[in-house]
Amino acid sequence: MAEIRISAKAASFTESVIREMTRIAMAHDAINLAQGFPDFAAPAEIKQAAREAIDRDVNQYAITWGAKRFRDAIAWKFEQTYGMAIDPETQICVTCGSTEAMISAMLAVVDPGDEVIVFEPFYENYGPDAILSGAVPRYVTLHEPDWTFDEAQLAAAFNDRTRAIIINTPNNPTGKVFSRAELESIAALCQRWGVVAFTDEIYEFMTYDGHEHVPLLTLPGMEDRTVLVNALSKTYSVTGWRVGWTVSSPALTSGIRKVHDFLTVGAAAPLQEAGTLALHLPDTYYEGLRADYLERRDLMLGILESAGFKTYKPYGAYYIMTDISGLGFDDDVTAAKSLTADVGVASVPGSSFYSDPALGRDKLRFSFCKKLDTLRAAGDRLAKLAR
Ligand SMILES: Cc1ncc(COP(=O)(O)O)c(C=O)c1O
């Protein structure tokens, strides 16, 4: 009898280390600074809007590529923020979070055997995304301490087989915000080699110390070859809602919409209604969000440094990469498990952000999307390390 087995694709990647750390944290009652979800409330008005939408019976399928009001709101917000008009009828596909946005986009654009360039360290989903879409990943290093890339190394990664490049800015796990000049050099290479850029911009409103987020889509010549990926998840502290979207040319969007339709049909209809309200929140909301995250970042940098970690200051997103080589652990996985079980603070082993685990063995990532009190409590526990 034939052996029952899972597919070679499914067998070729492991479960998410980040989400595994969350489970280990729960088992040890540790403070979870592993997975990037807030422990504070989402804005009251958007929760109210979700309840009202359910009460009004917005409970059936929305249009597969997104409710019209929500797509209009996405286009409105993008134009308000970046001054570029996008057509909600032909350029947006609403998805189940940016996770589905990215995999739908890759499945729609990439053929098996195509190469996809990925900056390393990278958000761990991009590895399985590449495998699921049949892509061959090519890694380009972001060099410590400021996570810059070498232009010659990037240029050398492009060739006739290159189909796409993934750019995550503001970046998880490094906190890097790609500068306009860096994006211009990426744009020039994309145009020279006929390459599509997938840009994961889920932390667009979390930038610090004067760093400015620039969507690659807005650069000249990139409007037809960029798929922007975004979501409500981080900006409005609703990671569990699973509402995201892509913005791209009508040609690319038509492919993404087809893949999306057969993967998930659509994102939650009442939550798209609430998302419409979220996207219309006043500028003061985003100013408050940035100021709150800046305070958390600075608190957490101080906590980690006092506990003996070497930190890489993030200028965007809500994570701090640290170097643990001075702390006496054998490697990152041992360190993360010991900190969770013995100290009571969960983090993510650096190796989960690298194609070669050895490259991340001196690193741990901490998230700071938590109440100040939660971060202080983590600080009290981590202080034991310095004693
Ligand atoms: C860079 C990046 N992209 C995507 C996601 C997932 O986003 P979503 O919850 O919208 O699927 C995360 C979550 O941590 C992330 O850090």
Side-chain angles (χ1 to χ4, degrees):
M1 213 166 41
E3 187 195 343
I4 301 296
R5 55 172 181 82
I6 60 171
S7 70
K9 273 182 183 170
S12 66
F13 51 87
T14 56
E15 73 160 322
S16 155
V17 178
I18 298 179
R19 294 177 279 280
E20 183 194 4
M21 285 309 300
T22 287
R23 286 196 300 279
I24 298 177
M26 286 164 87
H28 291 279
D29 210 12
I31 297 172
N32 185 0
L33 303 187
Q35 204 175 348
F37 61 84
D39 68 347
F40 44 84
E45 56 272 55
I46 72 169
K47 292 191 291 190
Q48 182 62 20
R51 282 190 290 269
E52 282 171 10
I54 290 175
D55 284 344
R56 278 189 286 113
D57 251 320
V58 185
N59 292 315
Q60 310 308 327
Y61 301 121
I63 296 173
T64 173
W65 53 78
K68 177 166 168 42
R69 274 163 46 82
F70 187 47
R71 279 180 287 118
D72 287 349
I74 292 166
W76 175 85
K77 179 70 189 158
F78 194 78
E79 186 164 7
Q80 282 277 309
T81 313
Y82 304 110
M84 179 175 167
I86 49 176
D87 179 5
E89 293 311 319
T90 57
Q91 292 192 266
I92 293 173
C93 180
V94 174
T95 58
C96 299
S98 66
T99 300
E100 196 237 321
M102 184 60 83
I103 188 66
S104 291
M106 287 185 68
L107 289 169
V109 171
V110 174
D111 282 315
D114 287 348
E115 290 188 8
V116 174
I117 297 172
V118 180
F119 288 102
E120 180 175 62
F122 50 83
Y123 173 55
E124 62 167 356
N125 276 34
Y126 305 149
D129 283 347
I131 294 168
L132 290 171
S133 57
V136 179
R138 281 197 59 142
Y139 299 101
V140 172
T141 308
L142 295 174
H143 295 281
E144 306 155 27
D146 49 2
W147 310 105
T148 46
F149 59 86
D150 180 64
E151 286 210 24
Q153 198 200 351
L154 178 64
F158 282 78
N159 62 64
D160 290 336
R161 293 179 303 278
T162 313
R163 185 79 187 95
I165 180 169
I166 300 178
I167 299 126
N168 169 217
T169 183
N171 185 261
N172 172 11
T174 65
K176 174 187 174 67
V177 180
F178 282 67
S179 69
R180 186 177 288 274
E182 286 175 320
L183 293 170
E184 278 166 357
S185 72
I186 295 169
L189 287 164
C190 288
Q191 287 168 63
R192 185 171 323 144
W193 291 97
V195 162
V196 171
F198 302 117
T199 62
D200 183 337
E201 307 187 20
I202 192 164
Y203 300 103
E204 69 179 319
F205 292 109
M206 291 159 202
T207 54
Y208 320 113
D209 304 337
H211 286 255
E212 183 205 3
H213 173 62
V214 179
L216 188 62
L217 180 77
T218 61
L219 264 50
M222 290 309 288
E223 55 281 2
D224 287 339
R225 58 176 67 255
T226 303
V227 181
L228 179 154
V229 166
N230 206 340
L232 297 179
S233 312
K234 312 285 179 173
T235 307
Y236 306 102
S237 305
V238 288
T239 60
W241 280 18
R242 318 305 308 131
V243 179
W245 59 87
T246 58
V247 179
S248 54
S249 67
L252 291 177
T253 302
S254 72
I256 295 168
R257 286 178 171 183
K258 282 190 282 182
V259 173
H260 154 77
D261 189 3
F262 289 108
L263 278 181
T264 66
V265 177
L271 303 183
Q272 294 187 48
E273 277 298 297
T276 304
L277 184 133
L279 287 156
H280 283 98
L281 287 174
D283 289 350
T284 48
Y285 173 75
Y286 303 92
E287 288 155 18
L289 183 84
R290 184 174 278 119
D292 288 349
Y293 272 112
L294 180 63
E295 189 176 2
R296 295 181 189 115
R297 181 200 69 169
D298 289 345
L299 174 65
M300 199 60 206
L301 278 172
I303 287 172
L304 290 168
E305 275 159 22
S306 318
F309 293 85
K310 182 180 159 216
T311 61
Y312 299 94
K313 191 179 200 175
Y315 296 108
Y318 53 45
Y319 306 96
I320 300 177
M321 264 297 233
T322 63
D323 186 317
I324 53 166
S325 37
L327 288 170
F329 294 105
D330 285 346
D331 61 34
D332 59 319
V333 176
T334 318
K337 291 198 168 151
S338 154
L339 283 184
T340 309
D342 306 332
V343 179
V345 177
S347 57
V348 178
S351 50
S352 60
F353 305 105
Y354 289 89
S355 53
D356 172 4
L359 296 171
R361 62 177 290 134
D362 288 338
K363 296 192 169 58
L364 285 184
R365 188 203 74 176
F366 292 83
S367 59
F368 58 83
C369 48
K370 309 290 168 184
K371 292 178 202 143
L372 293 173
D373 281 349
T374 307
L375 299 178
R376 287 191 197 103
D380 291 344
R381 294 180 182 194
L382 288 169
K384 286 184 214 147
L385 287 173
R387 272 183 226 136

